[in-house]
Amino acid sequence: IYHIFAENYFMQAVVFWLIYPLLWLISILPFWLFYRVSDVVYFIVYHLVGYRKKTVTHNLKLVFPEKSSEEIIKIRKKFYAHMCDMFLEMVKSISISEEELKKRFVFTNLEELRRIEKLDKSIMLMCGHYASFEWLFALQLNNLNHKAYGIYKKIRNPGFDKLINDIRRRFGAELIQNSKSTLRIAHNQKEGIRGAYAMIADQSPKSPNYKFWTDFMGKKVPFYTGSERMAKEFDMAVIYLHVDKVKRGYYKASLINIADNPTETENNQITLDYIQHLEKQIREKPELYLWTHKRWKHLGKEIPKNAIVR
């Protein structure tokens, strides 16, 4: 077993060091050339490889039954172009300057954070797979008194996992693995450390977590409620991160209050409010949602008897 593990680790390291120099070279390209590279990646991913094209088409037809085939194809093409931009923008984060990042990812109402700072509470920042979640760590560049954390799932390849963590730390943010998030938050609250914890809350749960079902884009599916439960457990103010794409390479983000006192809200109301905000954005600009994500894979499955359905 040791030799198998060592061999796998060696191969993972080889893969990383073969790919990393190319990623670094792409990251230092001027933006006009950088996005030409993205155009090439789009052509390969969409036209040649067809990466998850069946899944994307299925999801779009499922939630937009009123749209024609031509409309679905148009949205699909725009989505793939945006997805490739977003992936390359993650690569750009290897070398992008603080000044450039602040110019390209703008927060429109930072006074909302200042207001919560006066409440002396940590923040649960509920995000979706929408627009740009790769440059969210620009939040830490705006003199935020809260320490910024991103809750994520560890990448199998240790080289790429370290790269993602190093990118976030460049701008003062820190990543926490899903399995350790509650412990870290509990420790911080005990020590009086106020944090802003960003969690992408529209992940599709696994079977042990089929505890809450509700409509998402008109389809009844299970939802994680971990963000809400942690917010209530540690009395964290809850904010929805509303991100919009202004033009290629430029985003603006607004901070929408969901709850200052989550313990005073009805169970699951925070999750329902989050879903409502996310749905509104998806319907306005569907090409900015991550349609390769198999969000509706549990559709039609039997709802457990002990589950809550709203």
Side-chain angles (χ1 to χ4, degrees), residues 13-165:
V14 169
V15 169
F16 172 75
W17 286 111
L18 284 174
I19 296 176
Y20 177 74
L22 175 61
L23 298 180
W24 183 82
L25 287 172
I26 292 173
S27 79
I28 63 174
L29 293 175
F31 274 97
W32 68 267
L33 183 54
F34 174 81
Y35 282 113
R36 298 294 78 76
V37 173
S38 184
D39 291 338
V40 173
V41 173
Y42 161 75
F43 180 81
I44 295 171
V45 170
Y46 183 80
H47 292 285
L48 299 184
V49 178
Y51 171 71
R52 291 199 175 185
K53 192 179 284 188
K54 288 184 178 179
T55 298
V56 172
T57 305
H58 169 75
N59 285 341
L60 287 171
K61 288 183 175 180
L62 181 70
V63 301
F64 296 118
E66 75 283 1
K67 294 189 182 297
S68 66
S69 296
E70 291 76 15
E71 289 175 305
I72 294 294
I73 292 172
K74 185 177 181 180
I75 294 171
R76 189 177 67 188
K77 287 182 176 180
K78 286 184 176 180
F79 157 69
Y80 274 93
H82 167 68
M83 182 185 71
C84 292
D85 278 359
M86 190 172 61
F87 171 75
L88 267 294
E89 285 162 1
M90 178 181 66
V91 174
K92 190 69 174 174
S93 302
I94 295 173
S95 62
I96 194 171
S97 68
E98 291 187 7
E99 293 74 19
E100 190 69 42
L101 183 58
K102 285 181 69 174
K103 183 174 71 175
R104 290 175 174 272
F105 199 99
V106 177
F107 289 86
T108 64
N109 60 334
L110 287 170
E111 62 272 10
E112 178 65 16
L113 289 182
R114 308 302 177 213
R115 185 186 67 81
I116 294 176
E117 285 175 354
K118 293 178 181 179
L119 299 178
D120 193 28
K121 289 189 174 188
S122 288
I123 300 168
M124 176 58 70
L125 196 62
M126 298 183 74
C127 315
H129 285 96
Y130 188 87
S132 174
F133 42 88
E134 293 300 339
W135 282 351
L136 169 59
F137 49 86
L139 180 65
Q140 193 69 54
L141 304 179
N142 291 276
N143 299 316
L144 179 66
N145 288 333
H146 287 68
K147 170 72 174 177
Y149 295 91
I151 301 173
Y152 86 119
K153 184 177 181 180
K154 187 174 182 179
I155 300 173
R156 289 185 179 181
N157 186 301
F160 288 109
D161 187 72
K162 183 178 183 301
L163 176 62
I164 294 297
N165 276 271

Side-chain angles (χ1 to χ4, degrees), residues 282-297:
I282 294 173
R283 294 191 184 280
E284 289 174 352
K285 293 183 180 179
E287 67 272 14
L288 299 184
Y289 191 61
L290 190 64
W291 296 104
T292 52
H293 176 40
K294 296 182 179 179
R295 187 61 191 84
W296 293 271
K297 63 183 179 181

Side-chain angles (χ1 to χ4, degrees), residues 244-266:
D244 190 23
K245 189 172 188 176
V246 179
K247 60 181 179 179
R248 197 173 200 185
Y250 289 87
Y251 303 88
K252 65 177 181 180
S254 301
L255 304 160
I256 300 176
N257 176 267
I258 291 182
D260 282 346
N261 302 297
T263 56
E264 298 176 5
T265 64
E266 294 183 9

